[in-house]
Short mmCIF file of all heavy atoms in Angstrom, two decimals:
data_model
loop_
_atom_site.label_atom_id
_atom_site.label_comp_id
_atom_site.label_asym_id
_atom_site.label_seq_id
_atom_site.Cartn_x
_atom_site.Cartn_y
_atom_site.Cartn_z
N VAL I 168 -60.58 -26.58 195.83
CA VAL I 168 -61.60 -26.88 194.80
C VAL I 168 -61.17 -28.08 193.97
O VAL I 168 -61.65 -28.27 192.83
CB VAL I 168 -61.81 -25.67 193.85
CG1 VAL I 168 -62.39 -24.52 194.62
CG2 VAL I 168 -60.51 -25.27 193.19
N LEU I 169 -60.29 -28.95 194.55
CA LEU I 169 -59.81 -30.08 193.77
C LEU I 169 -60.94 -30.99 193.33
O LEU I 169 -60.85 -31.66 192.31
CB LEU I 169 -58.81 -30.90 194.59
CG LEU I 169 -57.34 -30.54 194.41
CD1 LEU I 169 -56.49 -31.39 195.32
CD2 LEU I 169 -56.89 -30.74 192.96
N ASP I 170 -62.05 -31.00 194.08
CA ASP I 170 -63.13 -31.92 193.68
C ASP I 170 -64.21 -31.24 192.82
O ASP I 170 -65.22 -31.85 192.50
CB ASP I 170 -63.75 -32.58 194.92
CG ASP I 170 -64.19 -31.56 195.94
OD1 ASP I 170 -63.91 -30.35 195.73
OD2 ASP I 170 -64.81 -31.94 196.95
N ALA I 171 -63.97 -29.99 192.41
CA ALA I 171 -64.88 -29.34 191.49
C ALA I 171 -64.72 -30.02 190.11
O ALA I 171 -63.68 -30.58 189.80
CB ALA I 171 -64.59 -27.86 191.39
N ARG I 172 -65.80 -29.95 189.32
CA ARG I 172 -65.80 -30.65 188.04
C ARG I 172 -64.68 -30.17 187.13
O ARG I 172 -63.99 -30.95 186.50
CB ARG I 172 -67.16 -30.48 187.36
CG ARG I 172 -67.62 -31.72 186.66
CD ARG I 172 -69.08 -31.63 186.30
NE ARG I 172 -69.55 -30.25 186.26
CZ ARG I 172 -70.47 -29.78 185.41
NH1 ARG I 172 -70.99 -30.62 184.51
NH2 ARG I 172 -70.85 -28.55 185.45
N PHE I 173 -64.48 -28.84 187.05
CA PHE I 173 -63.43 -28.34 186.13
C PHE I 173 -62.06 -28.78 186.60
O PHE I 173 -61.17 -29.03 185.77
CB PHE I 173 -63.52 -26.81 186.01
CG PHE I 173 -62.98 -26.05 187.21
CD1 PHE I 173 -61.64 -25.69 187.26
CD2 PHE I 173 -63.78 -25.69 188.26
CE1 PHE I 173 -61.13 -24.99 188.35
CE2 PHE I 173 -63.30 -25.01 189.35
CZ PHE I 173 -61.95 -24.66 189.41
N ALA I 174 -61.86 -28.95 187.93
CA ALA I 174 -60.58 -29.42 188.42
C ALA I 174 -60.34 -30.87 188.00
O ALA I 174 -59.24 -31.27 187.61
CB ALA I 174 -60.51 -29.31 189.94
N GLN I 175 -61.41 -31.67 188.02
CA GLN I 175 -61.31 -33.07 187.57
C GLN I 175 -60.92 -33.14 186.10
O GLN I 175 -60.15 -33.99 185.69
CB GLN I 175 -62.65 -33.78 187.80
CG GLN I 175 -63.11 -33.76 189.24
CD GLN I 175 -62.30 -34.66 190.12
OE1 GLN I 175 -62.04 -35.80 189.75
NE2 GLN I 175 -61.89 -34.16 191.28
N VAL I 176 -61.50 -32.23 185.30
CA VAL I 176 -61.17 -32.22 183.88
C VAL I 176 -59.67 -31.91 183.69
O VAL I 176 -58.97 -32.55 182.93
CB VAL I 176 -62.01 -31.18 183.10
CG1 VAL I 176 -61.56 -31.09 181.65
CG2 VAL I 176 -63.48 -31.54 183.18
N ILE I 177 -59.19 -30.92 184.48
CA ILE I 177 -57.78 -30.54 184.37
C ILE I 177 -56.88 -31.74 184.71
O ILE I 177 -55.92 -32.05 184.01
CB ILE I 177 -57.47 -29.35 185.30
CG1 ILE I 177 -58.18 -28.10 184.81
CG2 ILE I 177 -55.96 -29.10 185.39
CD1 ILE I 177 -58.09 -26.91 185.74
N LEU I 178 -57.22 -32.43 185.83
CA LEU I 178 -56.37 -33.54 186.26
C LEU I 178 -56.40 -34.67 185.24
O LEU I 178 -55.38 -35.26 184.88
CB LEU I 178 -56.83 -34.05 187.63
CG LEU I 178 -56.60 -33.10 188.79
CD1 LEU I 178 -57.22 -33.64 190.06
CD2 LEU I 178 -55.11 -32.83 188.98
N GLY I 179 -57.60 -34.98 184.73
CA GLY I 179 -57.69 -36.05 183.75
C GLY I 179 -56.94 -35.66 182.49
O GLY I 179 -56.20 -36.50 181.91
N ALA I 180 -57.11 -34.41 182.06
CA ALA I 180 -56.40 -33.97 180.87
C ALA I 180 -54.89 -34.02 181.07
O ALA I 180 -54.13 -34.32 180.14
CB ALA I 180 -56.84 -32.53 180.51
N ALA I 181 -54.44 -33.75 182.30
CA ALA I 181 -53.00 -33.76 182.56
C ALA I 181 -52.40 -35.13 182.38
O ALA I 181 -51.29 -35.29 181.86
CB ALA I 181 -52.72 -33.24 183.98
N VAL I 182 -53.16 -36.15 182.78
CA VAL I 182 -52.66 -37.52 182.58
C VAL I 182 -52.50 -37.83 181.11
O VAL I 182 -51.47 -38.32 180.64
CB VAL I 182 -53.59 -38.55 183.26
CG1 VAL I 182 -53.16 -39.98 182.93
CG2 VAL I 182 -53.62 -38.34 184.77
N ILE I 183 -53.56 -37.51 180.34
CA ILE I 183 -53.55 -37.78 178.90
C ILE I 183 -52.48 -36.92 178.21
O ILE I 183 -51.75 -37.37 177.32
CB ILE I 183 -54.94 -37.52 178.30
CG1 ILE I 183 -55.99 -38.35 179.05
CG2 ILE I 183 -54.97 -37.87 176.81
CD1 ILE I 183 -57.42 -37.98 178.76
N ASP I 184 -52.40 -35.69 178.67
CA ASP I 184 -51.42 -34.71 178.19
C ASP I 184 -50.00 -35.31 178.30
O ASP I 184 -49.18 -35.22 177.36
CB ASP I 184 -51.55 -33.46 179.07
CG ASP I 184 -50.81 -32.26 178.53
OD1 ASP I 184 -49.59 -32.36 178.37
OD2 ASP I 184 -51.44 -31.23 178.27
N ASP I 185 -49.72 -35.92 179.45
CA ASP I 185 -48.38 -36.47 179.68
C ASP I 185 -48.12 -37.63 178.74
O ASP I 185 -47.02 -37.76 178.17
CB ASP I 185 -48.24 -36.92 181.14
CG ASP I 185 -46.80 -37.25 181.48
OD1 ASP I 185 -45.98 -36.31 181.54
OD2 ASP I 185 -46.48 -38.44 181.68
N ILE I 186 -49.11 -38.49 178.57
CA ILE I 186 -48.95 -39.64 177.66
C ILE I 186 -48.65 -39.16 176.27
O ILE I 186 -47.67 -39.57 175.63
CB ILE I 186 -50.22 -40.51 177.67
CG1 ILE I 186 -50.44 -41.17 179.03
CG2 ILE I 186 -50.18 -41.55 176.57
CD1 ILE I 186 -51.74 -41.90 179.18
N LEU I 187 -49.51 -38.26 175.75
CA LEU I 187 -49.35 -37.77 174.39
C LEU I 187 -48.09 -36.93 174.25
O LEU I 187 -47.36 -37.02 173.27
CB LEU I 187 -50.57 -36.98 173.95
CG LEU I 187 -51.89 -37.77 173.94
CD1 LEU I 187 -53.05 -36.83 173.56
CD2 LEU I 187 -51.81 -38.93 172.94
N GLY I 188 -47.84 -36.09 175.26
CA GLY I 188 -46.69 -35.19 175.19
C GLY I 188 -45.38 -35.93 175.15
O GLY I 188 -44.49 -35.58 174.36
N LEU I 189 -45.24 -36.97 175.97
CA LEU I 189 -43.99 -37.70 175.98
C LEU I 189 -43.81 -38.52 174.72
O LEU I 189 -42.70 -38.69 174.22
CB LEU I 189 -43.88 -38.58 177.24
CG LEU I 189 -43.46 -37.79 178.51
CD1 LEU I 189 -43.52 -38.68 179.72
CD2 LEU I 189 -42.06 -37.22 178.35
N THR I 190 -44.91 -39.01 174.19
CA THR I 190 -44.84 -39.72 172.90
C THR I 190 -44.37 -38.75 171.82
O THR I 190 -43.49 -39.07 171.00
CB THR I 190 -46.20 -40.32 172.54
OG1 THR I 190 -46.66 -41.10 173.62
CG2 THR I 190 -46.11 -41.17 171.29
N LEU I 191 -44.95 -37.58 171.83
CA LEU I 191 -44.59 -36.54 170.86
C LEU I 191 -43.09 -36.20 171.00
O LEU I 191 -42.37 -36.09 170.01
CB LEU I 191 -45.44 -35.29 171.08
CG LEU I 191 -45.18 -34.09 170.17
CD1 LEU I 191 -45.58 -34.45 168.75
CD2 LEU I 191 -45.96 -32.88 170.65
N LEU I 192 -42.65 -36.06 172.25
CA LEU I 192 -41.25 -35.72 172.48
C LEU I 192 -40.34 -36.81 171.91
O LEU I 192 -39.29 -36.52 171.33
CB LEU I 192 -40.98 -35.52 173.96
CG LEU I 192 -39.56 -35.12 174.37
CD1 LEU I 192 -39.15 -33.82 173.71
CD2 LEU I 192 -39.41 -35.04 175.88
N ALA I 193 -40.78 -38.05 172.07
CA ALA I 193 -39.98 -39.15 171.54
C ALA I 193 -39.88 -39.05 170.01
O ALA I 193 -38.79 -39.22 169.43
CB ALA I 193 -40.62 -40.48 171.92
N VAL I 194 -41.02 -38.75 169.38
CA VAL I 194 -41.02 -38.64 167.92
C VAL I 194 -40.12 -37.49 167.46
O VAL I 194 -39.24 -37.66 166.60
CB VAL I 194 -42.45 -38.41 167.39
CG1 VAL I 194 -42.45 -38.16 165.90
CG2 VAL I 194 -43.35 -39.61 167.73
N VAL I 195 -40.30 -36.32 168.09
CA VAL I 195 -39.54 -35.16 167.68
C VAL I 195 -38.07 -35.35 167.94
O VAL I 195 -37.21 -34.98 167.14
CB VAL I 195 -40.09 -33.89 168.41
CG1 VAL I 195 -39.24 -32.68 168.11
CG2 VAL I 195 -41.53 -33.63 168.01
N SER I 196 -37.74 -35.95 169.12
CA SER I 196 -36.34 -36.16 169.44
C SER I 196 -35.68 -37.08 168.42
O SER I 196 -34.52 -36.87 168.04
CB SER I 196 -36.21 -36.79 170.82
OG SER I 196 -36.68 -35.93 171.80
N SER I 197 -36.39 -38.12 167.98
CA SER I 197 -35.78 -39.03 167.03
C SER I 197 -35.60 -38.33 165.70
O SER I 197 -34.60 -38.57 165.01
CB SER I 197 -36.63 -40.30 166.89
OG SER I 197 -37.79 -40.01 166.15
N LEU I 198 -36.52 -37.46 165.34
CA LEU I 198 -36.33 -36.65 164.13
C LEU I 198 -35.07 -35.80 164.29
O LEU I 198 -34.27 -35.67 163.36
CB LEU I 198 -37.52 -35.73 163.88
CG LEU I 198 -38.81 -36.38 163.40
CD1 LEU I 198 -39.94 -35.36 163.30
CD2 LEU I 198 -38.58 -37.06 162.04
N GLY I 199 -34.91 -35.25 165.49
CA GLY I 199 -33.74 -34.41 165.77
C GLY I 199 -32.46 -35.19 165.66
O GLY I 199 -31.42 -34.65 165.28
N ALA I 200 -32.52 -36.47 165.97
CA ALA I 200 -31.33 -37.32 165.89
C ALA I 200 -31.19 -37.89 164.48
O ALA I 200 -30.36 -38.78 164.24
CB ALA I 200 -31.43 -38.45 166.92
N GLY I 201 -32.00 -37.40 163.55
CA GLY I 201 -31.90 -37.80 162.15
C GLY I 201 -32.53 -39.15 161.86
O GLY I 201 -32.29 -39.76 160.80
N ARG I 202 -33.35 -39.65 162.78
CA ARG I 202 -34.04 -40.92 162.52
C ARG I 202 -35.54 -40.68 162.37
O ARG I 202 -36.05 -39.62 162.69
CB ARG I 202 -33.84 -41.90 163.69
CG ARG I 202 -32.39 -42.27 163.92
CD ARG I 202 -32.26 -43.37 164.94
NE ARG I 202 -30.91 -43.38 165.46
CZ ARG I 202 -30.50 -42.56 166.43
NH1 ARG I 202 -31.33 -41.73 166.99
NH2 ARG I 202 -29.24 -42.64 166.87
N THR I 203 -36.24 -41.66 161.88
CA THR I 203 -37.68 -41.57 161.82
C THR I 203 -38.27 -42.75 162.56
O THR I 203 -37.83 -43.87 162.36
CB THR I 203 -38.19 -41.58 160.37
OG1 THR I 203 -37.29 -40.82 159.57
CG2 THR I 203 -39.59 -41.00 160.29
N LEU I 204 -39.20 -42.45 163.44
CA LEU I 204 -39.87 -43.54 164.14
C LEU I 204 -40.95 -44.12 163.23
O LEU I 204 -41.68 -43.38 162.57
CB LEU I 204 -40.54 -43.01 165.42
CG LEU I 204 -39.66 -42.78 166.62
CD1 LEU I 204 -40.52 -42.35 167.81
CD2 LEU I 204 -38.89 -44.03 166.97
N SER I 205 -41.04 -45.45 163.21
CA SER I 205 -42.10 -46.06 162.43
C SER I 205 -43.42 -45.90 163.19
O SER I 205 -43.43 -45.68 164.41
CB SER I 205 -41.82 -47.53 162.23
OG SER I 205 -41.97 -48.21 163.45
N ALA I 206 -44.51 -46.01 162.45
CA ALA I 206 -45.84 -45.93 163.09
C ALA I 206 -45.98 -46.99 164.16
O ALA I 206 -46.60 -46.79 165.19
CB ALA I 206 -46.93 -46.06 162.03
N VAL I 207 -45.37 -48.16 163.90
CA VAL I 207 -45.46 -49.24 164.88
C VAL I 207 -44.77 -48.86 166.18
O VAL I 207 -45.29 -49.06 167.29
CB VAL I 207 -44.80 -50.55 164.30
CG1 VAL I 207 -44.76 -51.65 165.36
CG2 VAL I 207 -45.54 -51.00 163.06
N GLN I 208 -43.61 -48.23 166.07
CA GLN I 208 -42.88 -47.80 167.27
C GLN I 208 -43.69 -46.77 168.06
O GLN I 208 -43.80 -46.86 169.28
CB GLN I 208 -41.52 -47.19 166.88
CG GLN I 208 -40.47 -48.25 166.59
CD GLN I 208 -39.19 -47.64 166.06
OE1 GLN I 208 -39.23 -46.83 165.12
NE2 GLN I 208 -38.07 -48.00 166.64
N VAL I 209 -44.26 -45.82 167.33
CA VAL I 209 -45.09 -44.80 168.01
C VAL I 209 -46.26 -45.46 168.68
O VAL I 209 -46.60 -45.19 169.83
CB VAL I 209 -45.56 -43.74 167.00
CG1 VAL I 209 -46.51 -42.76 167.69
CG2 VAL I 209 -44.36 -42.99 166.41
N GLY I 210 -46.88 -46.39 167.96
CA GLY I 210 -48.04 -47.11 168.51
C GLY I 210 -47.68 -47.87 169.76
O GLY I 210 -48.41 -47.86 170.76
N LEU I 211 -46.52 -48.56 169.75
CA LEU I 211 -46.08 -49.31 170.90
C LEU I 211 -45.84 -48.42 172.09
O LEU I 211 -46.23 -48.72 173.22
CB LEU I 211 -44.79 -50.08 170.59
CG LEU I 211 -44.95 -51.43 169.88
CD1 LEU I 211 -43.61 -52.04 169.54
CD2 LEU I 211 -45.75 -52.38 170.78
N THR I 212 -45.18 -47.29 171.83
CA THR I 212 -44.89 -46.32 172.88
C THR I 212 -46.18 -45.84 173.55
O THR I 212 -46.29 -45.80 174.77
CB THR I 212 -44.15 -45.11 172.25
OG1 THR I 212 -42.93 -45.60 171.70
CG2 THR I 212 -43.84 -44.05 173.28
N LEU I 213 -47.16 -45.49 172.70
CA LEU I 213 -48.45 -45.07 173.20
C LEU I 213 -49.14 -46.16 173.97
O LEU I 213 -49.67 -45.93 175.07
CB LEU I 213 -49.33 -44.64 172.03
CG LEU I 213 -49.45 -43.16 171.73
CD1 LEU I 213 -50.32 -42.95 170.50
CD2 LEU I 213 -50.08 -42.43 172.94
N ALA I 214 -49.13 -47.38 173.37
CA ALA I 214 -49.84 -48.48 173.98
C ALA I 214 -49.27 -48.80 175.36
O ALA I 214 -50.00 -49.11 176.30
CB ALA I 214 -49.76 -49.71 173.08
N LEU I 215 -47.93 -48.71 175.46
CA LEU I 215 -47.28 -49.01 176.73
C LEU I 215 -47.77 -48.06 177.84
O LEU I 215 -48.12 -48.51 178.94
CB LEU I 215 -45.76 -48.89 176.58
CG LEU I 215 -44.91 -49.26 177.79
CD1 LEU I 215 -45.09 -50.71 178.17
CD2 LEU I 215 -43.42 -48.97 177.52
N SER I 216 -47.81 -46.76 177.53
CA SER I 216 -48.18 -45.82 178.60
C SER I 216 -49.68 -45.89 178.89
O SER I 216 -50.09 -45.87 180.05
CB SER I 216 -47.75 -44.41 178.27
OG SER I 216 -47.99 -44.09 176.93
N VAL I 217 -50.50 -46.01 177.83
CA VAL I 217 -51.94 -46.13 178.07
C VAL I 217 -52.22 -47.42 178.84
O VAL I 217 -53.00 -47.43 179.80
CB VAL I 217 -52.71 -46.15 176.73
CG1 VAL I 217 -54.18 -46.48 176.96
CG2 VAL I 217 -52.58 -44.79 176.04
N GLY I 218 -51.52 -48.49 178.43
CA GLY I 218 -51.73 -49.78 179.10
C GLY I 218 -51.36 -49.72 180.57
O GLY I 218 -52.04 -50.30 181.40
N PHE I 219 -50.29 -48.98 180.86
CA PHE I 219 -49.85 -48.88 182.27
C PHE I 219 -50.91 -48.19 183.12
O PHE I 219 -51.26 -48.67 184.19
CB PHE I 219 -48.53 -48.11 182.34
CG PHE I 219 -48.03 -47.94 183.75
CD1 PHE I 219 -47.39 -48.97 184.38
CD2 PHE I 219 -48.19 -46.74 184.42
CE1 PHE I 219 -46.94 -48.82 185.70
CE2 PHE I 219 -47.75 -46.58 185.72
CZ PHE I 219 -47.10 -47.64 186.35
N VAL I 220 -51.44 -47.06 182.58
CA VAL I 220 -52.47 -46.34 183.33
C VAL I 220 -53.68 -47.25 183.57
O VAL I 220 -54.20 -47.36 184.68
CB VAL I 220 -52.89 -45.07 182.57
CG1 VAL I 220 -54.09 -44.40 183.26
CG2 VAL I 220 -51.73 -44.09 182.45
N ALA I 221 -54.09 -47.92 182.51
CA ALA I 221 -55.27 -48.81 182.62
C ALA I 221 -55.02 -49.91 183.60
O ALA I 221 -55.86 -50.26 184.44
CB ALA I 221 -55.62 -49.38 181.24
#
Side-chain angles (χ1 to χ4, degrees):
Chain I
V168 296
L169 267 178
D170 54 354
R172 219 166 21 145
F173 75 90
Q175 302 288 314
V176 175
I177 293 172
L178 292 174
V182 173
I183 305 168
D184 193 301
D185 191 69
I186 294 174
L187 298 177
L189 281 174
T190 306
L191 180 66
L192 181 60
V194 174
V195 174
S196 297
S197 75
L198 287 176
R202 298 188 200 83
T203 321
L204 282 183
S205 71
V207 174
Q208 281 173 308
V209 175
L211 276 177
T212 299
L213 260 177
L215 183 63
S216 43
V217 172
F219 179 78
V220 173

